Amino acid sequence: MKKNISITGIVIIALTFIMVCCSRNERIISYKLTPDSVITKLSDSIYLSDQVLCLDYAQNHLYVSDYNNGIYSIDCNGNNVNHLVKKGRGHGEVGACGHFYAKVDGEICLYDESEKSFNFYRNDKLLKMIKVDQGFVLSDATRFFSIGDSVFHSITHNENTMIIIGPEQSSKLGRFVDGLDDIRKPVISERHVLKTENSILLVGLGLPIVEEYDYNGKKICSLNLMDIPRLKATYEKTQSNDPKSYFVVVEDAYYNHQKLYLLTSSNENDTYNCNTLYVIAKKNGKFEIECSYKLSGKVYSAICITKDNKCFAFNSIDTSLEFYTLPTKQEIIRLLNYKFNECEGIDNINLDSLVDYATGLSQAEIVKVCNDAIKTSILNDIPIKQNEIIKLFDEQHEIYPYKEA
């Protein structure tokens, strides 16, 4: 999507196995997902518009920001809808409902784009409001967070990339990406700003780079996502000579439970898609890409993920909320243990070593491999053998070859 600055437990997984070779010869395992459930309306009378800009999760509730209607909260099953913040000009209402941040205690900090203010709510009550200095140009399509009365937000048209806005004063952190030679330098440095356990993450929208800073503004580490061929191709293909515009490569970013999730877009064959999630974790002081997920639709505007690997995503085309469960290696191990628990010869098999061979397959495909191995053992009156299980996994991968562009 082109952005103009002058002014978004085991699940059945469809198909497939993807191995993507990055420029550093890394391999990224990817899953193609199908939703557990889909919500097309919040109630008989409440329909979401196609401008859901932000999702967040706190206190077992999903919060949804609809630019045209305000903020709703629902439970994890899509029930118990509560219209927390309404659109309007009255006390506590919002003129233009932008992005927001839900704190763990349930307090919400919302950016009202029309009033250029940060509004703090608890339940449906307005607690306080912080006006933004007219000299600051804030990003209107980025994540931010708040600590106490201070808001950490992305800033454009300035040598810094982030500003800390407080009731009495503001300060700036973060710098342009070193060595970036681009006429769009001020706007392409627009960032999602995310809070981790003890640091700040800045994630570029147009320039797909992840940077980590401490609260004194010192850079800790970074990751250039253009090491991923798909994102590099998207960035290079969508270069613009307009100093006030760029193509959004990272539409949304979400951090939870020591993992960073990025919703990314592409423009392949002049067709816009925004449906691929990349999962990034920090290991040994460096960022590493763990895997990717491909959502079932074509265009999404917002995501959020819980600690138990529940993923919520808003489908902009269908104007629907989709609920997913993200697969993990731990779930594969539990499934293998369950299927092979009482089989003869299982003590001689290292189930943990089978996980890499099973990763990328759906639950149904893993179950089929287990059943085939058990059936072969029974029919031939022989113990189950590890090399036979590996062979069956390899055959399943060959049946459904899928390559990420």
Side-chain angles (χ1 to χ4, degrees), residues 156-227:
T156 63
H157 302 288
N158 190 281
E159 65 178 4
N160 299 89
T161 59
M162 184 181 68
I163 187 169
I164 304 173
I165 301 171
E168 299 179 358
Q169 62 181 1
S170 301
S171 57
K172 301 172 185 177
L173 291 175
R175 311 290 293 183
F176 288 142
V177 177
D178 293 338
L180 176 62
D181 183 16
D182 194 307
I183 61 173
R184 302 166 297 161
K185 194 171 185 176
V187 299
I188 206 169
S189 288
E190 194 173 31
R191 300 282 188 265
H192 293 291
V193 181
L194 306 173
K195 177 179 179 292
T196 76
E197 290 75 15
N198 49 29
S199 64
I200 303 168
L201 293 179
L202 303 183
V203 182
L205 281 71
L207 186 66
I209 291 178
V210 178
E211 297 176 315
E212 181 182 22
Y213 288 85
D214 65 20
Y215 282 89
N216 294 316
K218 180 181 178 181
K219 184 187 290 187
I220 300 172
C221 67
S222 64
L223 175 66
N224 189 341
L225 296 173
M226 284 191 287
D227 285 334

Side-chain angles (χ1 to χ4, degrees), residues 11-12 33-42 48 55 57 60-64 73-79 81 295-296 300 302 304 306 309-315 320-326:
V11 62
I12 296 178
L33 305 178
T34 54
D36 299 335
S37 59
V38 178
I39 295 177
T40 56
K41 58 182 180 180
L42 298 184
L48 293 172
L55 303 175
Y57 185 84
N60 298 318
H61 279 79
L62 173 67
Y63 297 88
V64 182
S73 74
I74 61 177
D75 64 23
C76 291
N77 297 315
N79 302 316
V81 179
L295 303 176
S296 62
Y300 294 81
C304 76
T306 69
N309 288 313
K310 299 294 183 182
C311 172
F312 306 99
F314 182 74
N315 187 319
S320 62
L321 276 172
E322 297 177 355
F323 294 40
Y324 296 86
T325 304
L326 303 182

Side-chain angles (χ1 to χ4, degrees), residues 216-280:
N216 294 316
K218 180 181 178 181
K219 184 187 290 187
I220 300 172
C221 67
S222 64
L223 175 66
N224 189 341
L225 296 173
M226 284 191 287
D227 285 334
I228 303 173
R230 175 181 166 275
L231 298 187
K232 181 179 181 181
T234 299
Y235 174 78
E236 293 179 345
K237 185 177 180 180
T238 55
Q239 292 285 340
S240 171
N241 291 322
D242 184 349
K244 294 185 178 181
S245 70
Y246 64 86
F247 185 89
V248 176
V249 179
V250 180
E251 179 70 25
D252 198 10
Y254 198 83
Y255 182 88
N256 197 353
H257 203 47
Q258 300 183 332
K259 291 186 180 181
L260 172 64
Y261 300 84
L262 305 179
L263 174 62
T264 63
S265 63
S266 63
N267 191 26
E268 300 159 354
N269 300 319
D270 295 324
T271 300
Y272 176 75
N273 287 292
C274 186
N275 57 5
T276 301
L277 298 181
Y278 286 97
V279 183
I280 298 171

